[in-house]
Amino acid sequence: MKQQCPFPATLSERNFFVKVLIDQEQINSRVINLGRELANEYEGRPLTIIGILAGSLVLLADLIRAIDVPHQVGLLQASSYRGKSTTPGPLQMNLDYLPDITDRNVLLVDDIFDTGKTMQTVLAQIGERQPRSLKSAVLLWKEEATEVDLTPDYHCFKIPDHFVVGYGLDFNNEYRHLPFIASLEPSDLV
């Protein structure tokens, strides 16, 4: 379904349309169900949920409210996309502000599992801090784009290999505010 972008595009002076892949109601329902799954898994176990900035912020905020067990929250910065790039570049990462995760169960939350290289690198770095267990959860999984021998432990939706925005995902740091997941047309990626 195509829908006019609800806010003016700041990347250009023209109006444009986005193709909605996953609507707000579908996202809300799946995140709540994932929260219940995770609450069952981690009940009575020390849990730390770590979100990868900035794309995971919307998912992280909704998910931590849906996980009805005590847990800590941490953030780390990791990014391989810069500006208007639609392909990943070198990964830049900052783990300086993570809480102590030694002997805790850790759930790493990210917006999208694309090639998998970011997740693989971050999991390896966090694993060096000796958590009791370490799993990953993502909103979106581009299964056909995966280039590593790794899959997310939890995912909300599998999507085709399109460039997507909304619900925390961006293009040139725009569109994170959209309450749905949308695919931009190639002409909008300039």
Side-chain angles (χ1 to χ4, degrees):
M1 137 177 70
K2 286 213 175 198
Q3 180 173 325
Q4 185 163 6
C5 190
F7 302 96
T10 58
L11 296 177
S12 66
E13 296 301 317
R14 60 189 165 82
N15 286 327
F16 67 96
F17 291 83
V18 294
K19 180 180 179 186
V20 176
L21 298 177
I22 306 167
D23 67 37
Q24 184 175 3
E25 186 176 308
Q26 291 172 294
I27 294 170
N28 293 343
S29 176
R30 180 60 186 120
V31 170
I32 288 168
N33 287 334
L34 178 58
R36 289 179 185 143
E37 288 177 52
L38 294 166
N40 287 334
E41 177 170 344
Y42 291 106
E43 186 175 0
R45 300 167 58 202
L47 174 62
T48 300
I49 302 169
I50 297 174
I52 299 177
L53 292 173
S56 76
L57 281 177
V58 178
L59 172 60
L60 181 67
D62 289 344
L63 189 59
I64 63 174
R65 290 179 294 191
I67 299 174
D68 191 21
V69 296
H71 55 272
Q72 296 179 349
V73 176
L75 296 169
L76 68 86
Q77 194 167 21
S79 178
S80 57
Y81 289 87
R82 310 271 185 290
K84 294 183 179 183
S85 175
T86 59
T87 57
L91 180 65
Q92 294 180 354
M93 190 167 31
N94 182 349
L95 305 171
D96 292 343
Y97 301 106
L98 286 181
D100 182 12
I101 58 171
T102 305
D103 203 33
R104 292 186 62 86
N105 300 288
V106 174
L107 179 68
L108 182 64
V109 175
D110 203 4
D111 54 357
I112 191 165
F113 191 97
D114 194 339
T115 65
K117 292 177 181 177
T118 296
M119 183 66 73
Q120 184 176 52
T121 302
V122 174
L123 285 170
Q125 290 288 314
I126 290 176
E128 292 177 5
R129 295 178 180 224
Q130 302 174 342
R132 181 178 298 175
S133 70
L134 179 57
K135 291 190 175 184
S136 61
V138 296
L139 178 68
L140 305 174
W141 180 13
K142 289 185 187 179
E143 189 174 22
E144 64 190 65
T146 301
E147 297 178 6
V148 297
D149 188 25
L150 174 72
T151 60
D153 295 294
Y154 299 95
H155 68 279
C156 293
F157 303 97
K158 288 184 182 179
I159 62 167
D161 193 10
H162 296 293
F163 192 85
V164 292
V165 296
Y167 200 76
L169 289 101
D170 75 302
F171 172 65
N172 199 24
N173 217 20
E174 301 281 350
Y175 313 110
R176 293 186 194 277
H177 65 284
L178 298 176
F180 48 78
I181 300 297
S183 176
L184 292 181
E185 297 295 329
S187 61
D188 293 319
L189 300 174
V190 291

